[in-house]
Amino acid sequence: GESVGLHLPTLSVQEGDNSIINCAYSNSASDYFIWYKQESGKGPQFIIDIRSNMDKRQGQRVTVLLNKTVKHLSLQIAATQPGDSAVYFCAENTVNQFYFGTGTSLTVIP
Amino acid sequence: SQTIHQWPATLVQPVGSPLSLECTVEGTSNPNLYWYRQAAGRGLQLLFYSVGIGQISSEVPQNLSASRPQDRQFILSSKKLLLSDSGFYLCAWSRAGIGSPLHFGNGTRLTVT
């Protein structure tokens, strides 16, 4: 299957700082990308998505950037809060299938 | 609104025993349905997906099987559990086609002893 890899397995940031989580994907034909947040013992929650015809999309405190040239996806979290501590996954969607990376564990230091 | 129900939340089973995990979706019709497994500290491994009743695609060879007896019901089964089957099992649904996110259930923590 396709692989979706993350550059950093762990990330620690100070409360109030901005966080950037990176992701590399392998299938240049992927049309749709999603970021998920997973808290301990729970299922992943949808954060934000982006289609391949866009390079940036903003939500509430989150921004996703897509660079198709280098097959790179990033999630930016503004003014990181303790409640943002979780594991973050990127996923790529190709014809009924979703492939996830290993995840990045974000720890927010108060 | 759409909801997904997955049960049980936790399960402890002896090696060699059977398994049945159930997942149902409400508020949508003809969803794509998925079973993922997540080992501790790891990513999500796609096990099975289904685009319709009775249609099951398997991603990895294993002693697990899946069935979709109804449009919004997805079942994960095993005849004989192995220790290596322990993990966090997640059911998810999406609308058909590309461009619709996966929506996950709360997962089942399976421990095989």
Side-chain angles (χ1 to χ4, degrees), chain B residues 3-80:
Chain B
T3 56
I4 180 168
H5 302 280
Q6 187 181 344
W7 68 93
T10 60
L11 190 60
V12 180
Q13 292 283 103
V15 168
S17 65
L19 172 74
S20 181
L21 302 181
E22 190 162 343
C23 172
T24 59
V25 179
E26 297 176 357
T28 188
S29 59
N30 197 31
N32 288 349
L33 296 172
Y34 303 80
W35 279 110
Y36 284 86
R37 178 170 59 198
Q38 186 176 32
R42 304 290 296 275
L44 293 99
Q45 179 187 34
L46 178 62
L47 300 176
F48 302 95
Y49 70 94
S50 170
V51 299
I53 296 174
Q55 300 178 62
I56 308 295
S57 296
S58 175
E59 284 293 295
V60 292
Q62 58 212 328
N63 68 320
L64 300 172
S65 62
S67 62
R68 184 171 178 174
Q70 300 180 47
D71 181 45
R72 290 168 289 176
Q73 183 185 28
F74 207 24
I75 298 171
L76 183 69
S77 303
S78 174
K79 292 181 180 178
K80 288 185 178 182

Side-chain angles (χ1 to χ4, degrees), chain A:
Chain A
E2 302 297 335
S3 65
V4 180
L6 299 185
H7 292 310
L8 295 173
T10 62
L11 178 65
S12 295
V13 298
Q14 290 289 138
E15 181 178 358
D17 287 352
N18 297 334
S19 302
I20 299 177
I21 300 171
N22 295 304
C23 176
Y25 63 94
S26 59
N27 187 352
S28 57
S30 293
D31 288 329
Y32 179 58
F33 304 87
I34 314 150
W35 279 101
Y36 287 90
K37 173 185 180 183
Q38 186 179 25
E39 296 174 294
S40 180
K42 297 183 179 179
Q45 285 182 293
F46 169 87
I47 301 174
I48 191 168
D49 57 4
I50 189 167
R51 296 177 187 256
S52 60
N53 61 352
M54 301 171 68
D55 53 19
K56 181 179 180 179
R57 190 164 189 223
Q58 288 184 292
Q60 187 178 14
R61 284 201 306 119
V62 294
T63 301
V64 55
L65 299 177
L66 175 63
N67 185 331
K68 294 180 288 294
T69 302
V70 295
K71 291 187 283 187
H72 184 268
L73 194 68
S74 69
L75 176 70
Q76 300 178 3
I77 305 174
T80 313
Q81 303 169 0
D84 295 327
S85 293
V87 177
Y88 290 81
F89 295 95
C90 66
E92 59 179 313
N93 177 210
T94 57
V95 190
N96 295 324
Q97 298 191 23
F98 295 80
Y99 295 99
F100 291 78
T102 305
T104 293
S105 177
L106 174 65
T107 300
V108 181
I109 304 166

